[in-house]
């Protein structure tokens, strides 16, 4: 197996570099990540195309991971409800070691191949669910074991990894392999690998939500109005769509609870 995520950094004697050199070289490496993601677009497309019809039938999307990978999955999942106004159980992020591991590493949590499936079962599961395992190395037992169990249960499985030919990719029905090469600090996969995983997760959840009808035009018309900034954003959306004044648009937004509902009510001639 090729383990580029553990390969030695292209740079030596980092401690002898100036701050300017450190920043410049890290930025140079970061610029390679989108290019690596671009090479994986066909794999990402296959995964997204498979998830959409399953979610249309009532399936959920699970992310499972450990460490940085698990945290990135939780981040992506947690942002779907406020951004797209969807229930909290549409996209679910699960991290090895439980919620405590979001802030602090939990010793040996990623080494249990049976635990991820137990964690998924806490939410129940149905035949239309999809499970994406996230692991830069592609060797994490927690993630591999979770996908194996999901396969056996008849669920759709995918993965995001930054090595080629990994055990995780071999387990996933629809693997996504984004090979970003050695990290600036050898083996520190929270860097380029983490950035690549974040970009791919953005693509997956955004594409799925658009295709599930949670965006109109290019607007987040179902976003939750959880703060004044979002109320102002929603008000502007309604003003653009209807020609209403700011005061009228805000009144409609607060009355109907979402941009989509307010615009629909205006079109139907309802105050």
């Amino acid at each position: 197996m090729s383990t580029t995520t553990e390969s030695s950094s292209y740079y030596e004697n980092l401690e002898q570099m100036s701050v300017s050199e450190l920043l410049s070289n890290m930025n140079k490496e970061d610029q390679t990540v989108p290019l690596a993601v671009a090479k994986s677009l066909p794999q990402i497309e296959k995964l997204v195309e498979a998830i959409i019809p399953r979610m249309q039938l009532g399936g959920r999307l699970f992310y499972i991971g450990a460490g940085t990978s698990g945290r990135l999955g939780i981040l992506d999942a947690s942002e779907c409800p406020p951004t797209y106004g969807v229930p909290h159980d549409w996209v679910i992020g699960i991290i090895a070691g439980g919620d405590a591991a979001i802030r602090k590493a939990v010793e040996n949590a990623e080494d249990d191949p049976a635990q991820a499936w137990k964690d998924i079962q806490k939410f129940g599961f149905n035949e239309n669910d999809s499970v994406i395992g996230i692991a830069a190395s592609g060797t994490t037992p927690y993630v591999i074991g979770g996908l194996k169990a999901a396969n056996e249960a008849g669920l759709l499985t995918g993965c995001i990894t930054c090595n080629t030919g990994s055990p995780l990719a071999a387990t996933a029905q629809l693997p996504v392999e984004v090979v970003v090469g050695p990290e600036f600090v050898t083996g520190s996969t929270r860097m380029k690998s983490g950035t690549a995983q974040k970009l791919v997760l953005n693509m997956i959840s955004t594409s799925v939500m658009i295709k599930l009808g949670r965006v109109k035009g290019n607007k987040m018309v179902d976003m939750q109005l959880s703060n004044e900034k979002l109320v102002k954003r929603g008000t502007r959306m309604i003003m653009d769509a209807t020609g209403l004044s700011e005061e009228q648009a805000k009144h409609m937004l607060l009355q109907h609870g979402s941009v989509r509902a307010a615009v629909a009510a205006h079109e139907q001639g309802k105050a």
Side-chain angles (χ1 to χ4, degrees), residues 156-170:
L156 176 74
T157 59
C159 74
I160 305 170
T161 181
C162 296
N163 284 323
T164 57
S166 69
L168 179 59

Side-chain angles (χ1 to χ4, degrees), residues 11-29:
Y11 305 84
E12 299 289 346
N13 303 314
L14 302 186
E15 72 278 11
Q16 296 177 18
M17 290 183 184
S18 67
V19 171
S20 176
E21 290 171 327
L22 288 170
L23 298 178
S24 177
N25 287 326
M26 278 188 273
N27 180 250
K28 180 180 178 181
E29 288 302 304

Side-chain angles (χ1 to χ4, degrees), residues 33 37 162 178 180 191-201:
V33 176
V37 173
C162 296
V178 185
V180 296
M191 301 183 78
K192 289 194 298 182
S193 296
T195 300
Q197 291 171 331
K198 171 63 172 157
L199 291 175
V200 175
L201 288 166

Side-chain angles (χ1 to χ4, degrees), residues 69-85:
S69 297
R71 295 182 188 101
L72 289 169
I74 288 173
L75 173 64
D76 194 76
S78 67
E79 291 179 342
C80 287
T83 304
Y84 300 109

